[in-house]
Amino acid sequence: LTFLDRAMSRTAYVEYRRGMRQFGPLLPPEQKTNAGIGPFLDYDSGAIPGVVRPTHTFARDAFLLRVAGLRLELHHAPGETDDQVVVLLRAQGGATQHILFAADNIYRAFPNLYAIRGTPARDVLKWSDSLERMRSFGAHVLVPCHTRPVFGAARVDELLAVYSDAIRFVHDQTLRLMNLGVATEDIARGVRLPGHLRTHPFLEEFYGTVEWSVRGVAQFYVGWFGGNPIDLFPLSWAQRGERMLQAVGGSVSLAALVEAAREAGDFQWMLELATGAMHARPEEAQWREHTIGALRSLASQQVSANGRNYYLMSAMEMQHADEAVLPSQQQMAAIIEKLSVREMFDALCATLDPNEADGKHMSVLWHMQDVHECHVLRVRNSVARAYYFEGPHCVAEVVGVASGGGASSGEDGARSGESEGEGEG
């Protein structure tokens, strides 16, 4: 549940914003074409997010469950997320075919080995291995969570095999080139699926892309630094833009380069030129307009629905800069309602403004008398930490820790006497 808890608390705003860009549900109707794994994401600023937490969990690789007389096999199959669970309904009660419900581990598009909406790096080697394990079930029907079911044992086996091999190919070739000393950006542009995989209908880069996936694999193994020393301390976009303007002789000359890139259909170069100038000279409106135009042109060329939506949403946000893409107050209230008190305090720590907290050293105690919980939020060195105590004597425990020094986390105890607020939870 770690990812779910984080997405609902610590990273709620950034994941919402980037999720809206990836799936494009806020685009005007004429710009909505597809969400990559379905027609569209039915979501808007009035939709209330929901979370259904599991009532039963299992720690083994498989778990047997009987529902309405049917025997279901639940198999842990790490893939798109570490907690993916596939369900095998073996032939029973007169049925002659095994049915495999494949979770999000396969769909009719190249997978999101990395999601541009923002996710931790995925263990794609486990994903490939899970697909091999799913082959061993001998299913006659494959039911993905997205896109249509597939019928026929031979067809199911072939699809699981090519999907597994495509993921493994990207993984292995990325590592091979990394170990040869090739920088990540060069690997991302160089790795391509073999022809027989590239043309497979289940591997069209309509959702994820090989290029993004290479970067995701590299991130998983060696982190953000791609190996090229130019990326250690790069110029900011404003610095880069100002130097470009100086190098070409000013705004008029750079605008001519932007126009030449547009006429040549080189929209990525157009975007980079205009973006740099926009950050360097925000008062010159032409650069924002050129950037919006480049984003929309790139969107028109993009096969990946995720990429297309991200370009178009970014252009829309730029055009309506006063309308931030953020969860509504109603949506945030619904999210907060689903969090535990402890999760809320943990999330608060990452909202501290270091400038406002500079030079302050204080602690605040919340005593939830009805549930016998004490929550302490401590600020020190512009860092906030949350502490949790439980039991009918939790206040005494907080004071004792503060007096004796050293909380259970190894940090010095919260000083409840500095600032204390009590209330019933």
Side-chain angles (χ1 to χ4, degrees):
L1 295 177
T2 303
F3 173 75
L4 176 63
D5 293 336
R6 184 182 64 247
M8 293 293 288
S9 57
R10 297 182 183 180
T11 59
Y13 281 100
V14 65
E15 293 204 29
Y16 177 89
R17 185 185 299 113
R18 288 175 57 164
M20 294 301 100
R21 290 173 185 165
Q22 175 178 309
F23 292 109
L26 305 182
L27 289 171
E30 66 274 10
Q31 291 185 349
K32 291 182 181 179
T33 58
N34 200 283
I37 48 176
F40 58 90
L41 180 66
D42 189 11
Y43 193 89
D44 57 33
S45 58
I48 301 301
V51 176
V52 180
R53 297 181 183 270
T55 56
H56 296 76
T57 61
F58 63 96
R60 304 182 299 275
D61 286 339
F63 180 75
L64 298 180
L65 183 67
R66 287 194 177 273
V67 178
L70 294 176
R71 181 176 182 270
L72 304 177
E73 296 180 18
L74 279 62
H75 294 269
H76 180 217
E80 187 172 84
T81 59
D82 286 340
D83 59 353
Q84 292 288 306
V85 173
V86 300
V87 180
L88 179 63
L89 177 60
R90 294 192 185 273
Q92 54 192 288
T96 59
Q97 296 183 327
H98 305 328
I99 303 174
L100 176 61
F101 299 88
D104 283 335
N105 282 352
I106 184 171
Y107 30 79
R108 192 185 175 99
F110 187 84
N112 251 353
L113 302 187
Y114 171 77
I116 58 175
R117 61 182 169 82
T119 60
R122 291 167 171 171
D123 190 336
V124 303
L125 194 57
K126 284 185 180 179
W127 192 340
S128 177
D129 290 344
S130 291
L131 289 162
E132 289 297 315
R133 183 173 172 225
M134 290 160 64
R135 289 182 67 201
S136 71
F137 299 154
H140 301 84
V141 181
L142 179 71
V143 185
C145 280
H146 304 285
T147 67
R148 296 179 181 278
V150 177
F151 299 90
R155 178 64 171 150
V156 169
D157 183 74
E158 186 263 343
L159 289 178
L160 291 172
V162 298
Y163 222 71
S164 173
D165 290 345
I167 293 172
R168 185 69 186 245
F169 179 88
V170 172
H171 171 274
D172 290 356
Q173 293 309 307
T174 300
L175 287 189
R176 181 180 73 86
L177 293 170
M178 284 169 54
N179 285 318
L180 289 174
V182 182
T184 300
E185 285 303 308
D186 294 328
I187 302 173
R189 288 173 172 79
V191 172
R192 294 292 178 267
L193 293 178
H196 61 287
L197 292 178
R198 193 183 314 132
T199 58
H200 195 283
F202 262 63
L203 294 173
E204 183 179 5
E205 295 178 60
F206 193 59
Y207 193 52
T209 76
V210 173
E211 186 169 334
W212 300 339
S213 299
V214 167
R215 295 194 184 104
V217 172
Q219 170 78 18
F220 181 82
Y221 281 102
V222 297
W224 65 267
F225 179 48
N228 191 327
I230 197 173
D231 295 323
L232 285 173
F233 296 99
L235 296 173
S236 69
W237 273 106
Q239 293 170 326
R240 193 179 309 179
E242 189 58 45
R243 283 160 175 75
M244 283 194 301
L245 285 160
Q246 292 173 3
V248 302
S251 297
V252 174
S253 297
L254 188 62
L257 289 177
V258 171
E259 181 60 23
R262 186 191 66 79
E263 291 179 355
D266 191 353
F267 300 120
Q268 181 63 33
W269 180 228
M270 177 186 176
L271 179 62
E272 295 190 19
L273 290 170
T275 299
M278 179 182 66
H279 282 84
R281 307 276 178 88
E283 71 279 3
E284 298 181 14
Q286 62 170 322
W287 306 123
R288 181 177 297 273
E289 294 305 314
H290 285 312
T291 300
I292 292 171
L295 288 168
R296 288 174 174 163
S297 295
L298 285 167
S300 70
Q301 297 178 331
Q302 185 58 236
V303 173
S304 167
N306 290 342
R308 178 185 182 278
N309 291 335
Y310 210 101
Y311 283 134
L312 289 175
M313 276 294 300
S314 298
M316 187 181 79
E317 290 178 65
M318 199 169 292
Q319 189 171 30
H320 304 285
D322 57 330
E323 301 176 13
V325 177
L326 294 171
S328 65
Q329 289 187 345
Q330 185 181 17
Q331 288 171 326
M332 283 307 302
I335 291 174
I336 292 172
E337 186 179 354
K338 294 173 176 62
L339 297 177
S340 68
V341 175
R342 190 171 184 176
E343 288 169 336
M344 284 191 287
F345 278 103
D346 285 341
L348 278 175
C349 293
T351 67
L352 183 71
D353 185 333
N355 296 316
E356 294 291 331
D358 188 31
K360 295 182 174 64
H361 187 171
M362 61 184 296
S363 299
V364 182
L365 164 65
W366 284 264
H367 182 199
M368 313 297 184
Q369 296 177 349
D370 56 338
V371 291
H372 302 301
E373 290 182 359
C374 289
H375 297 267
V376 178
L377 198 63
R378 188 193 64 197
V379 176
R380 184 188 68 197
N381 295 326
S382 295
V383 174
R385 294 182 187 273
Y387 295 91
Y388 169 72
F389 303 86
E390 62 182 351
H393 307 294
C394 63
V395 172
E397 185 177 357
V398 171
V399 174
V401 169
S403 302
S408 59
S409 65
E411 300 289 338
D412 59 317
R415 300 180 182 174
S416 60
E418 294 183 6
S419 178
E420 180 175 326
E422 289 191 13
E424 298 196 3

